[in-house]
Amino acid sequence: MSEKLNRAAAHVRSLVNMEPTVGVILGSGLGNLVDSVDVVAAIPYAEIPGALASTVIGHSGRLVFARIGETPVVMMQGRNHFYEGHSLEDVVFIPRLLAKLGARVVAITNAAGGINAEFHAGDLMLISDHINYLGTNPLRGANDDELGPRFPDMSDIYSKQLRGVARDVAAATGVALREGVYLATSGPSYETPAEIRTFRVMGADAVGMSTVPEAIAYAHMGVKVIGISCITNMAAGILDQKLDHVEVLETTTRVQKEFAALMLALLERLGSHTN
Ligand code: HPA
């Protein structure tokens, strides 16, 4: 894994004259954040040796390098999901590459269903912790000691200190920010109402199909993580209505501007929290 990552990193470095210190994984609806930054370089995943061909993620699967304020940032525009059939090792390959390229802090964003009854579609939620309900783990298999330890600690994945920074930035930007626990399922089916009731008892505030593999890989590598979910809908059975991917997309479009404003301010600030 290390060798494959080092090869990919060397290739990317040969194309880009910038050392990023902060990374971001742009989830559903945030991809056009790249339209509001000065792009230094963009590299399709398909051109990165060892990365999955980008067929399933379409044309938008690419690494984008940009300077936000003083902060050099590398962005993943498009990600691979477990439900697409990839191994978790493949799912975390490009996320790990961000760290290899220099990112010491990574902000992970996603779309999620709200389980906490106080939430509403359109809310943004700072992830305080996660529940891995995938039934597997990206670190399964031989450990690569160069990347991290066999049994990495998971007690502060979504850095308490950085959550404080995110709350400050949200207040300064005038964006309301919820906070809660994110639970990841494999998907691609949405959950049943019985599953959602179970997840609530387990302590989950939101449910989605991403983020947890990446966060575990970063904890393994000693990279700090910030997680932010866009609550695109209330989870199954909470409201008397069916779940629909169209609703998810509509909500991301509705809150896109607010979400992007928060993320831009946050990414800039994270530049001073990279050690
Ligand atoms: N469940 C799982 N993933 C999701 C949801 C949901 O309700 N909404 C957006 N992503």
Side-chain angles (χ1 to χ4, degrees):
M1 187 62 145
S2 268
E3 219 171 276
K4 211 168 125 183
L5 279 166
N6 289 337
R7 226 175 307 128
H11 179 72
V12 171
R13 279 202 199 96
S14 74
L15 300 173
V16 184
N17 187 21
M18 184 180 122
E19 170 121 5
T21 58
V22 172
V24 60
I25 301 177
L26 301 172
S28 313
L30 255 193
N32 51 11
L33 185 87
V34 303
D35 298 336
S36 22
V37 297
D38 290 323
V39 173
V40 172
I43 303 171
Y45 297 154
E47 290 176 18
I48 300 173
L52 289 166
S54 65
T55 45
V56 280
I57 38 184
H59 297 297
S60 63
R62 54 184 198 154
L63 280 186
V64 176
F65 294 80
R67 213 168 278 282
I68 301 177
E70 298 282 291
T71 306
V73 179
V74 57
M75 312 184 175
M76 273 180 69
Q77 190 180 25
R79 59 145 70 87
N80 291 299
H81 297 88
F82 189 46
Y83 63 73
E84 289 165 311
H86 310 300
S87 69
L88 284 183
E89 193 176 314
D90 281 337
V91 167
V92 302
F93 183 77
I94 296 172
R96 283 193 188 279
L97 180 60
L98 303 193
K100 278 282 175 193
L101 291 169
R104 303 309 307 147
V105 183
V106 178
I108 310 179
T109 64
N110 61 48
I115 296 179
N116 185 323
E118 288 178 15
F119 290 1
H120 299 284
D123 285 351
L124 299 178
M125 184 192 89
L126 185 57
I127 301 177
S128 57
D129 202 349
H130 78 216
I131 296 171
N132 177 8
Y133 204 74
L134 298 170
T136 181
N137 189 298
L139 308 183
R140 188 169 171 270
N143 186 55
D144 188 331
D145 295 333
E146 261 183 55
L147 293 179
R150 170 76 291 187
F151 301 109
D153 176 45
M154 297 281 139
S155 20
D156 190 32
I157 301 189
Y158 304 89
S159 153
K160 196 169 179 179
Q161 180 222 348
L162 292 186
R163 274 185 278 141
V165 173
R167 278 191 294 268
D168 288 349
V169 170
T173 321
V175 172
L177 199 53
R178 307 277 198 169
E179 189 157 347
V181 173
Y182 175 93
L183 181 146
T185 71
S186 70
S189 52
Y190 286 123
E191 304 70 37
T192 63
E195 286 166 344
I196 294 302
R197 288 193 298 274
T198 309
F199 296 163
R200 176 181 287 157
V201 173
M202 288 165 69
D205 295 291
V207 58
M209 306 173 192
S210 68
T211 301
V212 164
E214 295 99 319
I216 292 173
Y218 286 135
H220 184 227
M221 298 173 91
V223 170
K224 289 191 267 188
V225 171
I226 274 269
I228 300 185
S229 295
C230 175
I231 305 298
T232 51
N233 57 283
M234 290 310 287
I238 294 184
L239 305 175
D240 189 19
Q241 64 184 50
K242 291 194 171 184
L243 262 63
D244 184 354
H245 186 57
V246 173
E247 183 194 358
V248 170
L249 298 178
E250 278 170 2
T251 309
T252 56
T253 307
R254 176 160 63 85
V255 300
Q256 191 173 294
K257 260 177 86 176
E258 194 187 26
F259 200 0
L262 172 67
M263 290 311 298
L264 287 173
L266 181 58
L267 292 170
E268 182 171 353
R269 267 287 291 281
L270 289 178
S272 47
H273 293 274
T274 52
N275 43 37

